[in-house]
Structure formats: structure tokens, C-alpha cells
Amino acid sequence: MNELYPAVSTEQASESALGAGDDLVARLRAAVLEKLTYSVGKDRNAASERDWFMAVALAARDRIVDDWLTSVRGNYRDNRRRVYYLSLEFLIGRLLVDSLSNTGLLEPMRAALAGLDIDLDKLRNIEPDAALGNGGLGRLAACFMESMATLSIAAHGYGIRYDHGLFRQTISDGWQHEYPEDWLDFGNPWEFSRPEVNYAIGFGGVVDSKPRPHGAPAQIWRPSETVEAVAYDTPVVGWRGVHVNTLRLWSARAPDPLRLDVFNQGDYVGALADRMRAESISKVLYPSDSTPAGQELRLRQEYFFASASLQDLIRRHLKQHGDIETLAEKAAIQLNDTHPAIAIAEMMRLLVDAHGLDWEKAWQITQATFSYTNHTLLPEALETWPAPLMERLLPRHMQIIYLINALHLDRLRREGYDDAGKLASLSLIDEHNGRHVRMGHLAFLGSHKVNGVSALHTELVKQTVFRDLNEIFPDRIVNKTNGVTFRRWLIEANPQLTRLLCETIGPSVLDDFSELKKLEPLAGDLDFQKRFAAAKLANKEALAKLIADRLLVKVDPTALFDVQIKRIHEYKRQLLNILETIALYNDIRAQPMRDFVPRVKIFAGKAAASYTQAKLIIKLANDVARVVNNDPTVRDLLKVVFLPNYNVSLAESIIPAADLSEQISTAGMEASGTGNMKMTLNGALTIGTLDGANIEIREKVGDDNIFIFGLTTEQVAEHRQNVADSCETIANSPILREVLDSVAHGVFSPDDRNRYAQLVSVLTYHDHFLVTADFDAYYAAQRAVDRKWRDRKSWQRSAILNTARASWFSSDRAIAEYAEEIWKVPVREG
């Protein structure tokens, strides 16, 4: 067995040996009926499917709790160093099948429910997706939490328990509309409320200086507003259930839920004002920051969860060890992106103000405890906060940040750095266009390690956003390429392929994914190719049914399923895909004598509510779909679908059915990507630029099994510097020129001929993301895809090799690297 995977306990092995044996099945059936009666309060004859779901989830949770408490006791008994993972997002998805699968109870529970005439798969669809994340960042956090449990690392995740989370997306007349996600309306059976675990979070107020007999005066922060952070815990089960960690999410509450004096004066709305202001913190993920109020709420969210998490982990540390000065020896805190960066200043406040440490000792502990993952090179995602906002909302923290900065710059001057421009770039305070605090710089300075999430991204981090800091601290930035949990994205999402793998390789592949390499000798075997293709076809048939049910569009499951599913953003270049779709549409109509490969273009993803251009791209995708899907001259050779409300559950249906994985971001702009890894694992071939983890995927799967096109990172930079606009590029590409003319002149928007004129103008004169520059190369790469698809043996061979060579992209590998090189915690057996 691979050393990354813990051994299975004797008790679990015996239960596993029972399989769906009568004893275990009977016990599970009895447990479900007990929960239905005494926890849900329903008679089995009157119970709805939702009632049955709740009963099954609670019965499964009971099985997890014993292992959870055993893991917690073991962490205390063995005096283990804990990892604390701070993330504004945890896109955990549905947990029923996840929990049953990881505890080895999926098939026994299915058999137990069958004896009650209940279909487990129907119950699976009853469960809502937890709306705790947006895309790759939140899903990565969820994969990492599962891998930390699988590798028996003592870990806690910390985030916010959003009442509504990210919005629910609907598409009306092609336009995106946002509505509150109601995932908590019927309760959450997986969580445990911890009202006794709550912390006071302050905002605003003043800072007083109190003289001390020795040393500098003490700084006393007196907040003008206090919000309570209340804990909710969800157990996170590792594979085989050998270890269970905790995801602790914070909900915001007002100290006084009702101003009774105001209520009795007849001002019923005003009596609830403080409560509504407090609870707004945990209402919605990523409130629009296009207004000052929205910007303030974003900052309140980030400080709220960072402060509550630090107070909680320090309380735990003191309870067990008693000495705050040993914190760095017993705790490793990972900041997942820049959102929790305020935790650096908050840790200093707690250590200096609350626990009385001197500044130097506190800074030493802070740096030794924190590490920081950078996920983006986009300036807006690195976060800078206006200094006046922070002065008003977090006055003590601004004092701390200014002092960190002063000591940092003083040190640089002592070491001979006297260039004003260099010092300005190294400063935590950005003086351009109004004074702002650079939160990325704060996270960098306050951490002992900073990591990128793919080889290319890490090098670009060194060369761009942290270039000057990297010169000062050359050993601080390291690479940790992302990974995904194969338990979710293969075993659960693709049971057809998993069954084939177990039959071919053996069930050991479920515990040691390096066994996938045993598929390589079978890549050219015609019988295995047929079985591999049959598993893919079954997944495509299921997705075709889902598309028909949701969109009333019939697609051919034998066609090439060409998939781009991710957050809608200009740098991810859904627009490039749409323009090539139009070019293909034009070819099919104009050249009916050609042998076209039937394709289904599948899009899904959400645009930020205030991101006008991204929402216009969604509209264009739907306009193109309407025209193409209703044109009889296309003869079903091309279909275009945009599936609304993209989430984990929808991804679990799309990814196993994908033939072609679109990873076409502008080179140098995608940090890593994890959708590319999931689709590679499931046997899809990638078409993409040399960006993010596409580079590592090409290295692993081989040049013959991937379609790479477009400008490199260096060429992108050179093009931006030397080419003013796209006029010449468009003039030299007849195919692109025809596509842009049709879009600009309203072929796809007859109700509003000018709808896309501005979009085409941007592509012509301000094409920052180089859609036009890469169009011809992308079009040619798609024709190479056509040629490969026609050679079915060659395509199937490449698809099998993609799966066989994907094991390196496991989140277990990534977490083991974090554990060894950054957190300094052991990966335990059992």
C-alpha cells in the first residue's frame, strides 16, 4: 500500500469484509428508522424523500462521530502539532455519498434502504450543495481538508457559515440573474451547533495608550461595536474513516438580538437594526464591493473570521499547553489566498495586547506560525484596502501595520536599500491613487513560507507581484502544485470508470492511486478501449438526459463533448471558445460537403454580480446557442448549451462525461486550475495554453495526448508591449474577421443589433487577454482535435493514458508536500 494512505483498522476491516452482509445492513436499516422516528419525528408511511434524506444523513453522521471523537482524543493524547487552514471559501458540495463512501458504508446503506423501498440515488439529489464557495479556490480547500483527514494530519478548517453563500444563478432570456441560495432552509444534518464556543469581534472605536512601569505604553483598543462569532462544526472524514478532522465555520450574531426599549417605542425595524448589521457579515459570500458599503462589509467578513479563528486556536493551545510562547511549535496556520491576510495583524494584536508579549517575540512567533498560499497574479484579487477605511474599522490593526512597515523599511535601509522607488514597492502601504494597505505584502512579510500553486505560477509570483520581496527573501517562495481528491472526482463522480479500474487493476487502486499507471500497457488494447469507451458513453448518456431535462435541448451522446466549466472571467477566455464555435457554425453551413465531427459545446459558470463584461459573455453564449440549436442547416452536427447554476454536484455530472477539456486562459494568468486535473483523471484530453498546471499535465501525459496552442507567457508579455491593437491580426485572419463581423452586426442578437458592438470594439482595440492573437492557433488546434477524434483507436489510447498518468495530481501528494516542507507535521499511518 502507498505510504500516503493510512492502514485500515481491524474493526473497519471486519466491517468492510461484511460488505453488504445481513448484519451490517440490518443495523443500518434500524439506525435509519430510529432517526426517522426520534430525530425527524416522522412515521415511515408519511415520510417524504427529504425526511428520509435527513434520517439517512443523521444515521451516517452517528457512525462518523465515534471516529471523530477518537481522532480528537488522539490529537490531544499524542500532543500533535495542528494545522489550521483559513479560507474564505469551502466548496464542500453534497456530503451524503461522500461520507458513506469514505466510511465504507455506501453499498451497505444502499442495500439497507432498498429493503425499505427507498432509492439512495434519489436521496442524494435531495441534498442541497453547501453554498460556501465560488470555484477553484473553495473546491481546493475542500479537497485539501479531505486529504488532511485521509493522511491523518490533525487539522482544523476555519471559514464562514454563510446563510446564503454565493448566489444561485438563473438564466432568463440568456442573461444571468442572481438569487439567494437557500441551502440552509431545511437545516444542515452534518453540522453541530456550538453556541458555547463564541468570541467577541470588535470594530471601530479608539485606541488608548496606557503607561506601564517598564517598556513601551500599552495600547488599549476600545471598539465601538461588537459582534459575536458563533461556531458550527462539521466533521470531515478521511478515506476509510481512519481519521476525522473538523471544519469550523463562524456565524455572526449581535450580542443583543433585540433593542427592547426601541421596540417598545414602536420602532420595530430600528429595534432590529443592530442585529441585521451584525448578521450581514455571514449572510452572503463575496458581497459586491463596488460601493463603499460593500467594500466595508467585505473587510468586516475577513476580519471577523480571521479574529474568531485565531482566538479559538489560541484558546485551544493554552488549554493544552498553557504557554503562549510555544504556539509556533504546536500550530501551523495556512492562509488560503489573501483574504485572511488581516490575521497577521490580528495575531500581533492578540500576542502583544492580550497576552503581553514584547513586539520582537510576537513577530517571531507570528512568522514561524503562518504560511501563505498565493492563488492569483491579478492585482484586484491580491486585495488592497483604503487606509481611511481600515483606520475607521480597525484602528489598532492600522497601528500594527504601520509599525510592521516602519520596522521592515528601517531594516532595509540599514541593509543598504536607499532607492526610493524600490522602497516604495516594498512598502506595505501603496501611495498611488490614495493610500492603500497591500494585503499580499502583509501576508508575505508575516509568513515563513509563501507558495504558488503550479510551477509556472510560482515563477511568475517571483517575477511579478512579489519580485522585489523575493529579492530580499529569496528562500521564502516555494511551489506546491495543486491537486484534487480522487475519492470525490473518480470514485464518487465516476462509478462506471471506477468499477472498470477495480476489475482491471484490482481494488487496491482505491487506496493507492499510483496503481493507475498499470493502465498504460492496456492503452492500445482494443478490448479495454471498448470497455473504457463504454464507461464514458454511459456518463455522456446521463449528462445528455440532464441537459434535456434542464434545457429542453437534445444532444447526441456519441458526439464529442467539448467542455468549458469554470468561473466566467475574461482571462479564462470563454469568449475565445464562443468565437471558435461561431467559426465552426459558419463552416458547417457553408461547406456541407465536409465530414464534420459532431460536437456538443458545453459551458457552465457564474459571473460576479457586478462583472458586466463577464455577464455579457454569458449572454453571447446563450445567444449563439439559440441560433445554432435552432438552425436546421446544422443538421445536429453542432449543439451549444449553457448549464445554469454551476456547482459541485453539476460538476460531478459533467466531468466524467467530458471528452475535451477546455483550459484556454491567457498564458501567465491562470494560477493552476483544478478542473483540468479532474477531467484528465476522468479520461478527457486537454486543449489549452501553456498556463497554470497545463504545463505539468503535458509533462505527465505526454505531448501526443494533449493539444497545446497559443502564445507563451513570454510571448504574451512581448505582444502586449509591442502591439497596440488587433486591427492587423483581424485583417490577416479571414475566419476571425467573419466571426467578429457577424457578432458586431447583430447576427446573434437580432433584437438588439448593437448589443455586442462594444465587446467587438474591445477585442479590436484593447484586447488585453489576447483572444484575437490566439484565435487562429486555437482554431487550428480544434481541427487537430477533429482529426484525432476520427481515429477512434488513437483517441481512446490517449484518453486511457490521461487517466493512467494522472495520479500525481492527487491532493494527497500536494498535502504531503505541505506537511513535510511547510507545516513540519508528520503524515501518519493509521
Side-chain angles (χ1 to χ4, degrees):
M1 180 176 290
N2 188 316
E3 64 178 6
L4 290 182
Y5 289 87
V8 180
S9 70
T10 304
E11 180 183 353
Q12 289 160 334
S14 64
E15 279 207 348
S16 178
L18 281 171
D22 292 344
D23 183 50
L24 178 57
V25 169
R27 282 186 280 137
L28 289 174
R29 185 179 299 131
V32 170
L33 289 172
E34 181 182 14
K35 289 299 175 184
L36 184 68
T37 302
Y38 297 108
S39 295
V40 181
K42 285 293 187 72
D43 180 83
R44 60 181 293 184
N45 296 318
S48 67
E49 286 188 338
R50 186 175 298 279
D51 296 329
W52 282 108
F53 159 71
M54 293 294 290
V56 173
L58 292 170
R61 191 183 73 168
D62 282 356
R63 307 283 296 210
I64 293 167
V65 167
D66 287 337
D67 292 332
W68 189 20
L69 297 179
T70 299
S71 298
V72 171
R73 285 191 292 265
N75 294 339
Y76 277 96
R77 180 191 64 238
D78 299 340
N79 200 24
R80 302 180 64 193
R81 190 182 197 207
R82 290 180 172 85
V83 173
Y84 296 101
Y85 198 83
L86 272 61
S87 179
L88 204 58
E89 299 184 38
F90 285 95
L91 199 56
I92 57 179
R94 293 168 172 166
L95 292 180
L96 179 60
V97 171
D98 188 69
S99 299
L100 292 173
S101 178
N102 276 13
T103 53
L105 297 175
L106 183 59
E107 293 311 315
M109 183 63 81
R110 190 186 303 279
L113 293 175
L116 298 169
D117 294 325
I118 300 298
D119 185 344
L120 178 60
D121 291 326
K122 288 186 177 179
L123 300 189
R124 178 185 190 176
N125 294 327
I126 292 291
E127 182 176 7
D129 275 57
L132 300 172
N134 178 21
L137 179 77
R139 186 53 228 172
L140 181 78
C143 285
F144 277 8
M145 285 298 298
E146 196 268 2
S147 281
M148 282 187 268
T150 293
L151 301 184
S152 292
I153 295 171
H156 291 253
Y158 281 119
I160 296 179
R161 181 184 181 267
Y162 303 102
D163 292 349
H164 301 291
L166 194 69
F167 60 84
R168 174 171 52 89
Q169 179 196 56
T170 65
I171 302 296
S172 178
D173 191 30
W175 292 101
Q176 170 181 293
H177 295 272
E178 305 90 26
Y179 296 92
E181 187 60 79
D182 57 0
W183 75 286
L184 284 173
D185 278 6
F186 290 91
N188 178 7
W190 304 109
E191 69 182 7
F192 291 83
S193 173
R194 308 292 194 201
E196 75 282 5
V197 181
N198 62 84
Y199 298 95
I201 313 298
F203 296 100
V206 297
V207 181
D208 295 332
S209 182
K210 180 180 179 181
R212 291 190 296 190
H214 306 287
Q219 303 300 316
I220 310 298
W221 180 26
R222 305 189 189 281
S224 59
E225 177 189 0
T226 300
V227 174
E228 286 186 356
V230 180
Y232 288 79
D233 289 351
T234 299
V236 179
V237 189
W239 181 238
R240 305 291 190 194
V242 295
H243 190 86
V244 184
N245 283 325
T246 302
L247 174 60
R248 175 160 285 181
L249 303 176
W250 302 105
S251 185
R253 298 290 184 266
D256 297 312
L258 179 70
R259 285 282 307 277
L260 192 58
D261 56 337
V262 177
F263 187 89
N264 288 334
Q265 293 171 8
D267 185 0
Y268 308 128
V269 174
L272 295 170
D274 290 346
R275 175 181 174 181
M276 297 305 297
R277 176 173 169 79
E279 293 183 359
S280 66
I281 292 174
S282 56
K283 283 292 180 188
V284 175
L285 169 66
Y286 296 144
S288 173
D289 59 359
S290 59
T291 66
Q295 195 171 51
E296 177 179 328
L297 180 54
R298 285 281 290 273
L299 180 56
R300 283 165 64 89
Q301 283 185 330
E302 293 179 8
Y303 175 67
F304 164 81
F305 104 90
S307 176
S309 303
L310 294 188
Q311 291 185 63
D312 191 55
L313 68 89
I314 288 174
R315 173 199 57 79
R316 184 178 297 107
H317 174 81
L318 292 175
K319 176 183 177 182
Q320 184 170 5
H321 305 288
D323 184 1
I324 192 66
E325 294 195 19
T326 64
L327 180 65
E329 300 170 21
K330 296 299 181 182
I333 304 173
Q334 187 73 34
L335 303 178
N336 189 31
D337 216 358
T338 318
H339 309 120
I342 192 63
I344 302 294
E346 174 67 357
M347 178 66 87
M348 289 298 293
R349 183 188 74 83
L350 291 170
L351 295 178
V352 173
D353 296 357
H355 296 279
L357 298 186
D358 64 70
W359 181 273
E360 290 75 15
K361 184 64 177 178
W363 186 242
Q364 179 186 9
I365 292 172
T366 296
Q367 282 191 313
T369 305
F370 279 100
S371 48
Y372 158 54
T373 300
N374 173 276
H375 284 279
T376 182
L377 304 175
L378 297 176
E380 65 268 22
L382 280 172
E383 289 194 332
T384 62
W385 293 111
L389 171 62
M390 291 199 68
E391 292 271 15
R392 175 170 55 83
L393 205 61
L394 302 171
R396 175 58 178 144
H397 298 77
M398 274 306 296
Q399 285 186 344
I400 291 170
I401 289 168
Y402 278 132
L403 184 52
I404 291 171
N405 196 44
L407 295 173
H408 163 58
L409 295 179
D410 284 349
R411 174 199 163 191
L412 295 180
R413 282 189 287 265
R414 287 195 303 270
E415 295 177 356
Y417 292 90
D418 53 9
D419 179 80
K422 175 76 75 174
L423 290 173
S425 71
L426 289 164
S427 174
L428 294 182
I429 310 300
D430 184 356
E431 302 284 352
H432 300 89
N433 300 317
R435 189 167 291 153
H436 286 70
V437 180
R438 292 168 166 152
M439 302 306 287
H441 280 45
L442 178 63
F444 188 107
L445 285 179
S447 300
H448 65 280
K449 288 295 181 184
V450 176
N451 71 278
V453 291
S454 71
L456 174 62
H457 172 247
T458 299
E459 288 307 307
L460 291 175
V461 166
K462 293 178 180 180
Q463 297 168 18
T464 58
V465 292
F466 294 137
R467 180 190 61 196
D468 294 328
L469 285 167
N470 183 57
E471 290 179 9
I472 308 300
F473 306 100
D475 299 323
R476 189 163 297 186
I477 299 177
V478 296
N479 180 56
K480 294 287 168 281
T481 298
N482 286 341
V484 300
T485 173
F486 288 14
R487 268 84 55 183
R488 168 78 74 159
W489 296 106
L490 178 64
I491 297 172
E492 295 174 42
N494 198 344
Q496 301 277 356
L497 179 56
T498 302
R499 192 175 302 114
L500 175 59
L501 295 176
C502 289
E503 292 171 357
T504 306
I505 299 172
S508 60
V509 71
L510 304 180
D511 298 292
D512 182 359
F513 293 118
S514 68
E515 296 258 304
L516 288 172
K517 65 185 178 185
K518 293 181 179 179
L519 290 181
E520 289 198 32
L522 298 174
D525 182 274
L526 294 182
D527 180 64
F528 185 76
Q529 284 189 4
K530 290 178 181 178
R531 297 170 70 195
F532 193 90
K536 175 70 73 174
L537 181 60
N539 292 321
K540 293 171 69 174
E541 288 171 344
L543 180 57
K545 183 178 185 304
L546 184 150
I547 291 169
D549 291 344
R550 297 191 182 182
L551 301 179
L552 302 179
V553 176
K554 183 180 179 181
V555 301
D556 179 2
T558 66
L560 189 157
F561 277 22
D562 182 345
V563 173
Q564 188 172 20
I565 46 173
K566 52 186 74 237
R567 178 167 53 97
I568 309 298
H569 197 291
E570 288 170 278
Y571 88 82
K572 294 180 183 289
R573 299 203 296 191
Q574 285 90 352
L575 186 54
L576 176 60
N577 191 351
I578 296 168
L579 296 182
E580 192 276 335
T581 302
I582 296 171
L584 179 57
Y585 170 62
N586 290 340
D587 287 348
I588 291 171
R589 290 189 303 162
Q591 304 174 54
M593 73 295 295
R594 281 177 52 189
D595 179 23
F596 288 98
V597 168
R599 276 190 192 238
V600 181
K601 289 271 194 174
I602 299 170
F603 296 89
K606 296 178 181 179
S610 59
Y611 195 168
T612 303
Q613 194 76 343
K615 295 173 85 167
L616 188 63
I617 290 170
I618 291 176
K619 174 61 173 171
L620 178 59
N622 282 287
D623 277 349
V624 170
R626 175 180 48 78
V627 172
V628 170
N629 296 343
N630 291 311
D631 189 336
T633 64
V634 174
R635 294 160 289 137
D636 291 333
L637 291 171
L638 178 63
K639 293 285 187 180
V640 183
V641 296
F642 188 100
L643 284 162
N645 205 37
Y646 182 57
N647 55 22
V648 175
S649 296
L650 185 55
E652 289 173 344
S653 296
I654 297 174
I655 287 170
D659 293 308
L660 187 67
S661 166
E662 296 272 357
Q663 311 297 330
I664 58 177
S665 52
T666 311
M669 301 200 73
E670 183 71 81
S672 169
T674 54
N676 47 7
M677 302 172 187
K678 297 162 193 168
M679 285 191 267
T680 294
L681 173 65
N682 282 276
L685 277 60
T686 300
I687 182 169
T689 52
L690 285 175
D691 196 25
N694 289 352
I695 295 172
E696 283 101 326
I697 290 175
R698 183 181 70 162
E699 291 172 355
K700 300 298 180 184
V701 306
D703 289 342
D704 293 339
N705 306 304
I706 192 171
F707 303 94
I708 296 296
F709 73 93
L711 301 176
T712 64
T713 302
E714 295 78 12
Q715 290 169 336
V716 165
E718 181 181 353
H719 190 281
R720 285 174 174 164
Q721 184 175 359
N722 297 326
V723 179
D725 57 42
S726 304
C727 293
E728 184 176 351
T729 299
I730 295 170
N732 291 332
S733 173
I735 296 174
L736 176 60
R737 187 169 65 249
E738 180 184 15
V739 168
L740 292 180
D741 283 347
S742 65
V743 173
H745 292 102
V747 170
F748 301 96
S749 54
D751 57 321
D752 181 358
R753 296 286 182 183
N754 294 317
R755 179 178 296 145
Y756 302 113
Q758 183 266 345
L759 185 150
V760 173
S761 177
V762 169
L763 290 177
T764 305
Y765 300 106
H766 308 285
D767 187 11
H768 179 72
F769 300 101
L770 305 189
V771 170
T772 55
D774 271 350
F775 177 85
D776 281 353
Y778 177 58
Y779 182 85
Q782 288 285 20
R783 304 294 73 78
V785 169
D786 290 340
R787 291 190 293 274
K788 182 113 179 164
W789 180 261
R790 290 190 184 95
D791 185 344
R792 303 303 296 145
K793 294 178 183 177
S794 175
W795 184 280
Q796 292 303 330
R797 180 180 184 278
S798 291
I800 293 166
L801 289 175
N802 267 259
T803 297
R805 296 170 178 174
S807 61
W808 190 80
F809 297 102
S810 168
S811 52
D812 296 346
R813 182 270 315 157
I815 287 299
E817 291 179 5
Y818 276 94
E820 179 182 358
E821 300 172 31
I822 296 180
W823 303 331
K824 305 300 181 184
V825 297
V827 174
R828 297 203 346 167
E829 293 281 343

